[in-house]
Amino acid sequence: MQPVILRYSAEQEYFFREGCFINELSNSLVDTNLSIAQARVRPGEGTKWHCLKETLERYLIIQGKGLVEIAGLEPQEVAAGDVVIIPAGCAQRMDNVGSEDLLFLALCTPRFQPESYVELT
């Protein structure tokens, strides 16, 4: 692996079918061990129930307040600085319960790939 600097670009943000906006900060063959995405959920909105196959995910909350639901845990409110660890294959969703955008980093190992996403109803 060679050193590399990946530059932030707000224009790369897109709406993902999960129900939030995503900006892939790092997700490439340069580093297959980890992906980092910034997720943004508008006030009063939330993500769909889903899981990631064979992918461990961590949320690092950086702004706002959310209500996270993870299979096996009671729903819990999270805020800036909190870290949520979600094992591979574990059902999950996140609602924005605050008055500003909820921003969090989603750190996935191995890196996120669209085929690992499973929508649950």
Side-chain angles (χ1 to χ4, degrees):
M1 179 185 290
Q2 296 293 317
V4 64
I5 296 173
L6 304 171
R7 303 286 180 188
Y8 175 77
S9 172
E11 293 78 34
Q12 292 182 345
E13 183 182 74
Y14 62 92
F15 187 79
F16 187 62
R17 65 182 186 228
E18 176 183 341
C20 62
F21 293 88
I22 296 291
N23 190 325
E24 296 281 353
L25 305 178
S26 176
N27 188 354
S28 71
L29 294 176
V30 171
D31 182 4
T32 59
N33 295 319
L34 170 74
S35 65
I36 305 169
Q38 179 179 281
R40 180 171 64 87
V41 182
R42 294 179 188 149
E45 296 181 7
T47 65
K48 297 176 182 177
W49 277 106
H50 67 284
C51 70
L52 298 182
K53 296 184 295 186
E54 301 176 10
T55 304
L56 171 65
E57 188 169 25
R58 302 140 190 100
Y59 292 164
L60 170 56
I61 312 303
I62 54 178
Q63 174 186 299
K65 283 199 267 185
L67 181 69
V68 66
E69 295 180 74
I70 303 170
L73 292 178
E74 292 294 319
Q76 296 184 45
E77 200 165 288
V78 291
D82 291 342
V83 175
V84 178
I85 299 172
I86 307 161
C90 191
Q92 58 177 295
R93 68 183 304 268
M94 174 80 83
D95 286 331
N96 182 341
V97 295
S99 58
E100 63 181 330
D101 282 350
L102 172 63
L103 294 176
F104 57 96
L105 298 180
L107 300 103
C108 294
T109 53
R111 75 183 180 100
F112 175 81
Q113 297 191 54
E115 57 269 17
S116 67
Y117 177 84
V118 177
E119 187 172 317
L120 307 171
T121 53

